[in-house]
């Protein structure tokens, strides 16, 4: 890992406040950013939290892509450079609990999981329509499952079970589900004692306007879900990307999520459900305001993706952003 160590050497850990300096205690979090689960939207939430509150988010150094999925050796290089100096890990990573215990002692370890078939289709939509069609042609013609990044043909297809090994799943403190996104965020907000504004979001990596891409991915899904015509290549893709360990870890995530809800007292569960409705109303208000005022600085901050944020953070250009549309955000005032 000499290349990463060299990239980290001399690199200033940056936040909106720019440099390491005495500041108030921050909640500690490790977000195991899984691929094609809506995780970029949650990483945006974490980045804005660092901007607003001066928390220390990890920032990929120059020469290392912000989209890198960090492995154990790369994480150990980060620990060597920034021992116990981070507050939040917001990047793609292979979950290494012991390394994160050293990197961010006392951190809450969370991750986001999605139905494997839906996640695979989302990974396909990260590619242009022409690439998706080429992938489909290979499956239909039974030319074999691609050996490199078969779940979508790009890094967005890296499997959840490759990032969170089955044997490490129980070391997560909080499990979130894409299918219960807003409810998941309310559970996160309460766990971290954040405000509603801290979790307001706009959906990132939304390709719904690219009709060709959406149509091509729909063709792949239609083919994969018609079991009577599946080729061996398609069966192999389903075995690797949807069944097996992927199905197992999603089942574990669903069970844990339900256990998290069942652990709430009846009054708190009712309060959580009410807060979800309030939060969805806030999101609708923010969306309406941003449609009317697309240049509003708060609205613009909601659209900053990981790569853009990282580039700005490297230059210490990030900080709290306020705008007129921020004023429509209200905290839940119920029990």
């Amino acid at each position: 890992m000499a290349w990463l160590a060299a990239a980290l050497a001399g690199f200033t850990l940056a936040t909106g406040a720019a440099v390491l300096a005495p500041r108030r205690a921050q909640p500690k979090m490790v977000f195991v950013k899984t691929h094609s689960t809506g995780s970029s939207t949650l990483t945006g939430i974490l980045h804005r939290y660092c901007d607003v509150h001066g928390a220390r988010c990890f920032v990929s150094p120059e020469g290392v892509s912000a989209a890198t999925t960090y492995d154990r050796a790369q994480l150990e290089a980060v620990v060597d450079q920034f021992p116990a100096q981070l507050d939040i890990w917001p990047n793609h990573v292979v979950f290494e609990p012991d390394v994160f215990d050293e990197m961010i002692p006392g951190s809450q370890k969370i991750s986001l999981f999605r139905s494997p078939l839906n996640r695979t289709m989302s990974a396909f939509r990260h590619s242009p329509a022409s690439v998706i069609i080429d992938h489909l042609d290979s499956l239909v013609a039974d030319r074999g499952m691609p050996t490199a990044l078969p779940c979508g043909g790009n890094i967005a297809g890296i499997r959840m079970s490759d990032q969170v090994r089955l044997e490490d799943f129980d070391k997560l403190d909080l499990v979130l589900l894409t299918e219960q996104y807003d409810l998941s965020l309310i559970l996160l907000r309460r766990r971290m004692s954040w405000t509603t504004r801290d979790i307001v979001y706009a959906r990132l990596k939304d390709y719904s306007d690219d009709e060709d891409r959406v149509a091509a991915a729909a063709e792949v899904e239609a083919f994969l879900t018609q079991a009577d015509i599946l080729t061996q290549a398609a069966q192999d893709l389903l075995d690797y990307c949807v069944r097996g360990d992927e199905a197992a870890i999603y089942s574990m995530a669903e069970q844990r999520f339900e256990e998290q809800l069942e652990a709430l007292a009846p009054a708190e569960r009712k309060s959580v459900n009410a807060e979800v409705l309030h939060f969805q109303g806030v999101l609708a208000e923010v969306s309406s305001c941003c449609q009317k005022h697309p240049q509003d600085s708060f609205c613009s901050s909601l659209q900053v993706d990981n790569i853009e944020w990282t580039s700005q953070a490297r230059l210490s250009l990030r900080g709290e952003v306020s705008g007129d549309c921020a004023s429509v955000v209200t905290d839940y005032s119920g029990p």
Side-chain angles (χ1 to χ4, degrees), residues 38-51:
S39 63
S40 289
T41 299
L42 183 46
T43 286
I45 289 172
L46 300 181
H47 284 161
R48 288 190 295 277
Y49 183 88
C50 287
D51 290 342

Side-chain angles (χ1 to χ4, degrees), residues 31-192:
F31 174 43
V32 183
K33 185 178 188 293
T34 47
H35 288 270
S36 299
T37 58
S39 63
S40 289
T41 299
L42 183 46
T43 286
I45 289 172
L46 300 181
H47 284 161
R48 288 190 295 277
Y49 183 88
C50 287
D51 290 342
V52 171
H53 299 286
R56 296 167 182 162
C57 276
F58 175 75
V59 183
S60 291
E62 293 285 355
V64 182
S65 170
T68 295
T69 301
Y70 283 73
D71 61 21
R72 185 179 186 88
Q74 293 169 313
L75 288 176
E76 289 174 341
V78 174
V79 171
D80 290 342
Q81 187 68 19
F82 304 121
Q85 295 178 347
L86 290 166
D87 296 315
I88 295 176
W89 176 276
N91 288 47
H92 290 300
V93 69
V94 175
F95 185 37
E96 301 288 354
D98 60 320
V99 179
F100 278 119
D101 283 341
E102 185 177 359
M103 182 191 298
I104 312 178
S107 59
Q108 292 286 307
K109 300 172 181 67
I110 71 171
S111 194
L112 178 64
F113 298 89
R114 186 176 193 173
S115 162
L117 179 61
N118 291 341
R119 196 202 71 82
T120 300
M121 291 305 101
S122 176
F124 271 105
R125 289 191 293 273
H126 280 68
S127 295
S130 59
V131 174
I132 300 173
I133 293 300
D134 287 345
H135 207 126
L136 175 61
D137 289 345
S138 293
L139 295 174
V140 173
D142 206 13
R143 292 197 289 267
M145 180 183 72
T147 55
L149 302 170
C151 308
N154 55 70
I155 61 171
I158 295 174
R159 301 184 304 174
M160 299 179 291
S161 56
D162 289 329
Q163 293 189 253
V164 180
R165 294 177 289 265
L166 297 180
E167 60 268 27
D168 290 328
F169 179 86
D170 286 340
K171 294 170 184 171
L172 292 170
D173 296 300
L174 183 67
V175 167
L176 313 179
L177 296 181
T178 306
E179 290 78 8
Q180 298 282 357
Y181 208 87
D182 292 342
L183 174 56
S184 293
L185 289 180
I186 295 305
L187 295 180
L188 175 64
R189 186 203 71 73
R190 292 187 175 214
R191 174 70 67 97
M192 304 304 292

